[in-house]
Amino acid sequence: MKVEFTPEQEALRTELRAYFDELMTPELRAEVDATPGEGGGELFWQAMDKLGKDGWIGVGWSKERGGRGMTAFEQMIFIEEVMRAGFPFPFLTTESVGPILADNASERMRDLLVPKILEGKLIMAIAYSEPGSGTDLASLTTTAIRDGDEWVIKGQKIFTSLAQHADYVWIAARTNQDPAVKKHKGISIFLVPTTAEGYDRTPIHTLGDVTTNATYYDNVRIPADHLVGELDAGWKLITSQLNRERLSLVNCGPVSQLLNETMQWADKNHYTNGKRVLDEPWVQMNLAKVRVGIEALKLMCYKQAWSITNDKLEMADASAAKVYGTEFFIEAYRLLAEVLGQVANEHLDSKGVQLRGRLEMMYRTASIITFGGGANEIQRDIISAAGLWMPRASR
Amino acid sequence: MDFSFSEQQQDVQNLARQILTEEVSAERQDVVDQQPDRFDKALWAKLAEAGLLGVSIAEKNGGMGFNFTELCFFIEEAGRTVAPIPVIPVLVSAALPIQQFGSVEQQRRLLQPLASGKTLITTAFMEPMGEDPATPLTQARPQGAGYVVNGVKTAVPLAHLSERVLISAKTDNGVVALMINPRAEGVTLVPLKVTSGEPQSEMRLENVLVATCDVLAGPEQGGELMTWAAQRTIVAYAAMQVGVSDKSMRMTASYTAERQQFGVPIATFQAVGHRAANCFIDVECLKLTAYQAASLLEADVDASTEVEIAKVWAGDVGHRVSFASQHLHGGIGIDKDYPLWRYCLWARHIELTLGSSASTLAKLGEKIAKGEAYVS
Ligand SMILES: Cc1cc2nc3c(=O)[nH]c(=O)nc-3n(C[C@H](O)[C@H](O)[C@H](O)COP(=O)(O)OP(=O)(O)OC[C@H]3O[C@@H](n4cnc5c(N)ncnc54)[C@H](O)[C@@H]3O)c2cc1C
């Protein structure tokens, strides 16, 4: 075991850190801070254009597909730095859906969409969840029925994030109604243009200030070649997409950045009694706990990325990282917020805001990924079954 | 970055696992428990014969000449079987500093018989109310080219069976590292009965003479030696905790898969499966932090932060996995006819050896206050 980066990886990280330092101008920062995690503003699209031109979109894509052909490890370094910088990089489109689309979409759609993704000009929304189908995703009821050269999509989705500025929705729909067929064997993936007739959306405002959407499909007609992959074989695309998503979810970049900034903050700030915040034993204890937790998360992420690169990823390990990371974030934000005290309640556009309001925002939004990206209970089911060979209840 | 382990490291692991799982049966443990000392001499001899006692002792001193990670793998396996043998005090805390800091004569005289299992050399790192061997209260006064020592050491493993005991003591010029002959005049060993059952003593030193040949490091290097040895000892205990907690977790998984209540295996209850899953996550965190620290120490880079981090995980994970395992076993988990109880006691032993999670966090916190522990 050797945990150091190679000199090339170290150089990549240094290059990216400097790159994003420059990219994140105060104006861009203000714009993305106003719509946390979403992007979609004018400066955001300019930045995406630059990222595309500079070849930073599709770091992990093969060269034939127009990417940099780097391994999952370099891709993780990239995501760590984007996330540290706080740029709402649409990595679900570029790193998760994108490569799967490139491998499975019809030739025409691939040639149409892939270049745009790599140029930073196209974002996709993902529509799996439905009002009645969350964790039990395979129970989804939105249908796609073939009619001549077209598919007709009918149903309703919920929590379709980024749909407000997406060009396409990557949607899961039921294509096989035969009750004898297992639920997850009758699902296919389609591309729905957000300009299609019969498509509609309404915003959902969340406590984290992030906007997501309910999306509606009232007999939306799409050409036959908007089917991705094989008919009824969408489940495999969904699971491999989610696997790619998971490692980004628990990336340790943002929490590392926040710890470092909180340590600097506690060094500079003094209590009314004149004592430096960092001199309080309980402050040191809180910071030490976060430091200890981050180290494990960092190693878990590095190990996952290394395992993916070497084709050795174990299901239980991936789930362990997801559960540990998402629950650790909440604990870490709490411990850091305690150090800042009441100012950790001050919203980013408030007057005396500290650490650009990032900690306040992240503590407020941290709960999303404990259930999103696969509820942690399901991940624990996977760990006990695949990691410890324990029998599970039939479901 | 590379998370795999070399063939050589895996060979050591396999060899250790094979011998230890074959030799350390529950019946054999019971027999050893009946003896006055919890030390399986026959097993020790067998391990010596296989070369394992000399895993990281240089070939010129009768060992295999492998690195620290290989030694940690062997120790992890000892943890996995809670083998009644002093792998850490002898092979890590004593042998490694002798090899690193001792004179050629000391290395030759002390390490060869140690690697071949003929003699034990143990280590006394703890004092009553003192957990840092680099800042001892025990005093050493120069006398000729040797020293006269006064003080008290505690929790000394197998002192009465050892040829020498490595200690630290302070002089007017700094800390020295000395080898005490436990049978020398002025040494009193008071047997202690402790949680894990390891045979330990309190060692009182009253005007004990230490000859020059038993001075491992003088005041210019003694403190450094002690910190060096303590860091490796802490990481070795973390590796042992990996074995202890991984095995108790896996015993729990198998047990709950078999044990039925309400007509189904109790493992199928989510509350049970999930608590085991939490143990899995914990063990993974401990394993990664422990072996990161081991590999950094092996590379001889400054790893004090990573060592502290591994120590905190060793304490916390040992605690959580041990009590989760007992809980999920129900009554059988604490029945001494079922092997789990030993693991729980060793988890506790490791948790409190050379500092607890809380005291280590406090140390790390002080470092943070000095701006020394930023995340890169
Ligand atoms: C901000 C935000 C953005 C999102 N973006 C998207 C998106 O872009 N695309 C998309 O498709 N979806 C998206 N989602 C939806 C998200 O994936 C779902 O919220 C998630 O899958 C959980 O489904 P649910 O909310 O219906 O909870 P439910 O399925 O109702 O589950 C609620 C809770 O019940 C428990 N539970 C459920 N089943 C089990 C079980 N079998 N065992 C034990 N416990 C169980 C778990 O604790 C779970 O967290 C988003 C959600 C949010 C909040």
Side-chain angles (χ1 to χ4, degrees), chain A residues 1-6 9 13 17 73 80 84 256-257 259-261 263-264 267 276 278-279 284-285 287-289 291-300 302-304 306 310 312 316-317 319-321 323-324 327 376-381 383-384 387-393 395, chain B residues 1-6 9 69 249-250 252-254 256-257 265 267-270 272-281 284-285 287-293 295-296 299 301 305-306 308-309 312-313 328 357-362 364-371 373-376:
Chain A
M1 178 159 146
K2 190 171 181 325
V3 278
E4 294 92 40
F5 282 9
T6 62
Q9 288 164 346
R13 178 153 82 159
R17 201 164 288 182
F73 204 91
E80 190 173 319
R84 246 177 207 261
S256 303
Q257 180 76 7
L259 171 64
N260 286 346
E261 286 176 12
M263 293 199 287
Q264 283 158 357
D267 181 21
R276 189 174 67 139
L278 204 41
D279 287 328
Q284 294 177 9
M285 201 72 171
L287 295 173
K289 283 181 180 166
R291 183 69 185 80
V292 165
I294 284 180
E295 195 68 19
L297 179 62
K298 197 174 91 183
L299 291 168
M300 273 185 159
Y302 290 174
K303 183 180 157 189
Q304 306 300 307
W306 173 84
N310 292 282
K312 284 184 177 157
D317 285 352
S319 295
V323 174
Y324 173 71
E327 292 176 7
N376 282 4
E377 284 84 0
I378 300 296
Q379 307 306 316
R380 286 189 168 89
D381 282 354
I383 294 168
S384 58
L388 292 167
W389 306 298
M390 291 165 73
R392 31 197 306 200
R395 206 184 278 136
Chain B
M1 199 137 330
D2 184 2
F3 283 86
S4 65
F5 291 102
S6 71
Q9 289 164 343
T69 304
M249 164 179 84
R250 287 181 192 281
T252 306
S254 321
T256 56
T268 60
F269 300 121
Q270 255 187 351
V272 172
H274 289 188
R275 195 148 179 206
N278 288 345
C279 294
F280 183 93
I281 297 168
E284 181 71 8
C285 289
K287 187 165 189 172
L288 289 169
T289 51
Y291 281 98
Q292 165 174 259
S295 73
L296 291 174
V301 296
T305 297
E306 287 80 2
E308 280 159 6
I309 288 171
V312 173
W313 279 105
L328 296 180
S357 290
S359 69
T360 311
L361 279 168
L364 180 58
E366 276 177 33
K367 206 181 269 178
I368 286 172
K370 289 191 223 142
Y374 284 92
V375 190
S376 62

Side-chain angles (χ1 to χ4, degrees), chain A residues 49-321:
Chain A
D49 185 60
K50 180 170 165 53
L51 279 159
K53 287 209 172 82
D54 293 340
W56 285 123
I57 300 179
V59 172
W61 292 43
S62 67
K63 288 202 169 128
E64 300 86 81
R65 294 269 187 240
R68 283 213 181 191
M70 289 180 154
T71 71
F73 204 91
E74 280 79 22
Q75 186 172 331
M76 185 204 60
I77 293 176
F78 175 77
I79 291 173
E80 190 173 319
E81 292 309 317
V82 185
M83 291 179 82
R84 246 177 207 261
F87 181 71
F89 188 74
F91 49 77
L92 285 181
T93 299
T94 63
E95 317 295 320
S96 175
V97 169
I100 296 177
L101 185 144
D103 288 342
N104 295 281
S106 66
E107 210 170 309
R108 187 173 74 95
M109 292 309 282
R110 190 188 65 212
D111 293 347
L112 183 71
L113 301 183
V114 167
K116 286 194 185 155
I117 292 176
L118 292 175
E119 285 165 18
K121 296 204 173 354
L122 185 142
I123 289 183
M124 319 259 302
I126 299 174
Y128 299 149
S129 306
E130 295 180 4
S133 299
T135 304
D136 183 12
L137 191 58
S139 69
L140 60 87
T141 59
T142 294
T143 54
I145 294 170
R146 183 77 184 233
D147 183 22
D149 276 350
E150 290 179 328
W151 287 98
V152 183
I153 314 262
K154 188 172 165 48
Q156 184 189 333
K157 294 284 180 180
I158 193 168
F159 303 124
T160 318
S161 299
L162 301 181
Q164 65 273 36
H165 36 250
D167 304 272
Y168 281 85
V169 181
W170 168 273
I171 190 176
R174 185 161 304 284
T175 39
N176 193 326
Q177 302 284 357
D178 184 352
V181 170
K182 282 216 170 105
K183 282 192 300 181
H184 63 277
K185 295 236 161 103
I187 294 171
S188 308
I189 296 285
F190 297 91
L191 297 163
V192 172
T194 50
T195 49
E197 201 170 321
Y199 166 83
D200 200 6
R201 79 170 178 94
T202 52
I204 298 171
H205 302 290
T206 71
L207 102 166
D209 293 345
V210 180
T211 303
T212 176
N213 305 276
T215 50
Y216 310 92
Y217 307 82
D218 181 13
N219 292 312
V220 173
R221 293 186 160 266
I222 51 172
D225 66 2
H226 283 41
L227 166 72
V228 183
E230 282 169 36
L231 191 62
D232 292 346
W235 192 252
K236 225 179 66 203
L237 302 186
I238 294 175
T239 50
S240 56
Q241 185 271 315
L242 287 173
N243 280 341
R244 282 167 178 269
E245 178 177 332
R246 235 158 250 159
L247 191 55
S248 317
L249 290 183
V250 295
N251 192 290
C252 66
V255 73
S256 303
Q257 180 76 7
L258 269 180
L259 171 64
N260 286 346
E261 286 176 12
T262 306
M263 293 199 287
Q264 283 158 357
W265 184 91
D267 181 21
K268 276 196 233 102
N269 285 277
H270 296 76
Y271 292 114
T272 46
N273 66 7
K275 245 171 124 180
R276 189 174 67 139
V277 174
L278 204 41
D279 287 328
E280 280 291 342
W282 68 265
V283 168
Q284 294 177 9
M285 201 72 171
N286 274 25
L287 295 173
K289 283 181 180 166
V290 178
R291 183 69 185 80
V292 165
I294 284 180
E295 195 68 19
L297 179 62
K298 197 174 91 183
L299 291 168
M300 273 185 159
C301 290
Y302 290 174
K303 183 180 157 189
Q304 306 300 307
W306 173 84
S307 303
I308 295 171
T309 307
N310 292 282
D311 222 5
K312 284 184 177 157
L313 187 64
E314 300 274 349
M315 216 174 13
D317 285 352
S319 295

Side-chain angles (χ1 to χ4, degrees), chain B residues 283-331:
Chain B
V283 172
E284 181 71 8
C285 289
L286 169 59
K287 187 165 189 172
L288 289 169
T289 51
Y291 281 98
Q292 165 174 259
S295 73
L296 291 174
L297 290 179
E298 178 169 307
D300 229 355
V301 296
D302 175 19
S304 67
T305 297
E306 287 80 2
V307 170
E308 280 159 6
I309 288 171
K311 173 67 179 148
V312 173
W313 279 105
D316 290 356
V317 173
H319 169 80
R320 287 195 290 257
V321 172
S322 158
F323 284 92
S325 301
Q326 278 186 12
H327 173 79
L328 296 180
H329 272 86

Side-chain angles (χ1 to χ4, degrees), chain B residues 220-295:
Chain B
E220 65 292 336
Q221 230 187 1
E224 182 202 335
L225 179 151
M226 282 296 147
T227 301
W228 189 96
Q231 285 186 344
R232 277 147 188 84
T233 304
I234 286 169
V235 173
Y237 273 117
M240 181 176 263
Q241 193 78 304
V242 172
V244 168
S245 50
D246 189 67
K247 179 65 194 219
S248 38
M249 164 179 84
R250 287 181 192 281
M251 275 165 72
T252 306
S254 321
Y255 178 78
T256 56
E258 297 293 322
R259 170 75 173 169
Q260 301 227 343
Q261 291 290 289
F262 306 98
V264 292
I266 55 175
T268 60
F269 300 121
Q270 255 187 351
V272 172
H274 289 188
R275 195 148 179 206
N278 288 345
C279 294
F280 183 93
I281 297 168
D282 259 346
V283 172
E284 181 71 8
C285 289
L286 169 59
K287 187 165 189 172
L288 289 169
T289 51
Y291 281 98
Q292 165 174 259
S295 73

